[in-house]
Amino acid sequence: MAGFELIRRFFGNEPGDRRAVPRSGVPKGAWVLVVDDSATIRAVLGKMLSQDGHVVLKAPDGETAIEMARKEKPDLIFLDIVMPGMNGFAVLRALRRDPQTHDIPIVMISGNLQATEQFYVQRFGADDFMKKPFGRGEVFARIQHLTQSGRLVVRERTAEDVAPAMPEHTEAEHAAIPDIAMPDPLDLAASSAEPS
């Protein structure tokens, strides 16, 4: 038990730890839409982003994501590829074809190990790709890259722009959210079922 406490103190898990301090070099207050059928991935990515001062919107499926993107006009979208129903590629195509959402930067995410995903991501117009598992460093490296390239620009919001109310976690639930997003078992099953 003492070893666990030492590791916990070293990596931080206290309210004032390094993860609660916003990172420099990236914009603050961006509205970020996280689209993933896994509630765990939405919670982990949401925790990382909210700790850095961003407003996090969450969608559990592609249809909801398109609707939210049109209505809320987020500054950035993290979009899972492997989802039931409308997959991430179909959502990406729909968002790129819509004049209201065409210019929103999109980072595709997946635990599927197939290298062809990166090809499709580029072909369909995503801005970046992030493989599960990912940690805070990976997430903020993507945001920083998009900012430095000029793709991510946080738009000014008016008083009428109010983020939709999302059910919040209790402090204990928030503390229990892991700091690394692991691949969804469906992603791993899909990649192992495909021929090499």
Side-chain angles (χ1 to χ4, degrees):
M1 185 69 167
F4 179 72
E5 282 301 314
L6 179 64
I7 291 170
R8 187 173 162 186
R9 273 192 235 135
F10 178 78
F11 287 107
N13 209 10
E14 302 302 321
D17 72 5
R18 64 175 173 74
R19 292 169 301 193
V21 177
R23 295 178 181 261
S24 60
V26 297
K28 304 298 171 227
W31 284 30
V32 183
L33 176 58
V34 175
V35 185
D36 201 302
D37 57 318
S38 166
T40 303
I41 298 296
R42 290 192 310 270
V44 170
L45 197 46
K47 178 181 177 180
M48 291 175 185
L49 293 164
S50 64
Q51 283 178 334
D52 206 54
H54 301 294
V55 175
V56 180
L57 311 167
K58 298 175 185 175
D61 57 61
E63 293 83 0
T64 305
I66 292 170
E67 181 181 316
M68 288 182 77
R70 287 178 179 149
K71 182 179 178 194
E72 306 301 338
K73 296 180 183 50
D75 300 305
L76 173 62
I77 298 173
F78 282 94
L79 176 59
D80 188 28
I81 293 174
V82 180
M83 295 187 291
M86 188 177 213
N87 70 30
F89 293 131
V91 174
L92 176 63
R93 282 191 298 272
L95 293 172
R96 288 297 183 237
R97 290 178 180 155
D98 188 328
Q100 294 182 62
T101 59
H102 179 267
D103 294 325
I104 300 171
I106 299 173
V107 176
M108 303 296 284
I109 56 177
S110 181
N112 190 314
L113 304 176
Q114 296 298 313
T116 56
E117 287 176 346
Q118 290 183 356
F119 167 77
Y120 285 115
V121 165
Q122 293 169 354
R123 182 174 172 188
F124 292 132
D127 294 276
D128 211 340
F129 176 81
M130 191 167 64
K131 190 170 90 173
K132 298 174 192 173
F134 56 82
R136 294 177 60 81
E138 179 83 10
V139 171
F140 293 106
R142 302 296 181 206
I143 292 173
Q144 189 167 22
H145 171 73
L146 290 171
T147 302
Q148 290 172 345
S149 69
R151 279 293 291 143
L152 175 58
V153 178
V154 177
R155 47 181 205 108
E156 289 195 32
R157 308 285 175 175
T158 64
E160 293 85 39
D161 290 326
V162 177
M166 303 299 272
E168 289 298 317
H169 301 286
T170 66
E171 195 171 312
E173 289 170 333
H174 188 77
I177 296 171
D179 292 318
I180 295 178
M182 298 303 289
D184 197 7
L186 291 176
D187 287 349
L188 295 175
S191 65
S192 64
E194 294 176 12
S196 299

